[in-house]
Amino acid sequence: MRLTKDFYDKDALLLSKDLLGKILVHKVDGHILKGKIVETEAYIGALDKASHAYNNRRTERTAPLFGPAGISYVFFIYGMYNCFNIISGKENEGEGVLIRALEPVNDLEYMSLLRYKKSYSELKKAQIKNLTNGPGKLCIAMSINKTNNWEDLTTSEDFYLEGGEEISLTDIVDSKRIGIDYAEEARDFLWRFHIKDNPYVSK
């Protein structure tokens, strides 16, 4: 069942944990791609120097962060990769959750073609593990790009989340976020969450 607006209308820390185990769905080119969310990171603009919305920074790029809960924020990094975030909380608060890793659920053949340009049966063990275990990797494998920016996950027919497995708090690992050494005290926030022992966690 598709997740509704009420699910996303909470602060980013709560949503980051609640998203674990849920199923991301993207219908593209006649395929229905699905992946279970296994790793997330919270970003809260009001106090988080790692957030694009810190200090109420509003630009054309960051505008989706201030939108309503449940919309998609897709941004481009290193001139190479897209990253997919889900906006949480109240409008204009600048909160969101980065989806860091997925466990592929179905149509692995098409995901493999998108990610590696080769059949899933040709992949080495390391390539299978690396199919969706990072924010840029999962966007390639799930065909998520800037056309999905601002997309409403609560109303879109092609891009949305379904309810999946309920993950108990004892199976959620809290840790520091990755790649934000510039963020001063925020680099030490334990705002990264993943499902314990899942093989598709990024690091």
Side-chain angles (χ1 to χ4, degrees), residues 2-126:
R2 175 199 292 266
L3 298 179
T4 62
K5 183 82 168 177
D6 290 345
F7 175 81
Y8 304 99
D9 192 9
K10 64 190 72 165
D11 73 62
L13 290 171
L14 286 175
L15 184 61
S16 292
K17 295 180 181 180
D18 288 349
L19 282 167
L20 296 174
K22 302 303 184 285
I23 305 298
L24 176 64
V25 182
H26 193 196
K27 298 178 181 178
V28 58
D29 297 331
H31 296 266
I32 302 177
L33 307 177
K34 294 187 178 186
K36 182 172 78 172
I37 298 173
V38 299
E39 182 182 0
T40 59
E41 286 181 351
Y43 289 85
I44 300 176
L47 64 150
D48 182 7
K49 292 176 182 175
S51 171
H52 294 171
Y54 179 65
N55 204 23
N56 203 38
R57 187 186 303 122
R58 293 175 184 248
T59 65
E60 183 178 353
R61 181 198 194 200
T62 66
L65 276 167
F66 298 94
I71 69 165
S72 171
Y73 171 44
V74 179
F75 64 89
F76 200 54
I77 58 169
Y78 310 135
M80 298 174 64
Y81 303 112
N82 290 299
C83 291
F84 163 56
N85 301 255
I86 298 173
I87 303 309
S88 61
K90 303 301 181 186
E91 196 164 356
N92 293 313
E93 290 188 351
E95 296 191 16
V97 178
L98 171 66
I99 307 304
R100 276 202 61 89
L102 300 174
E103 178 181 328
V105 171
N106 74 329
D107 211 338
L108 276 63
E109 178 69 16
Y110 193 61
M111 286 190 193
S112 177
L113 291 172
L114 289 170
R115 174 93 167 82
Y116 296 114
K117 295 182 171 51
K118 60 173 66 174
S119 173
Y120 187 78
S121 62
E122 299 177 76
L123 300 185
K124 299 183 184 338
K125 182 180 277 189

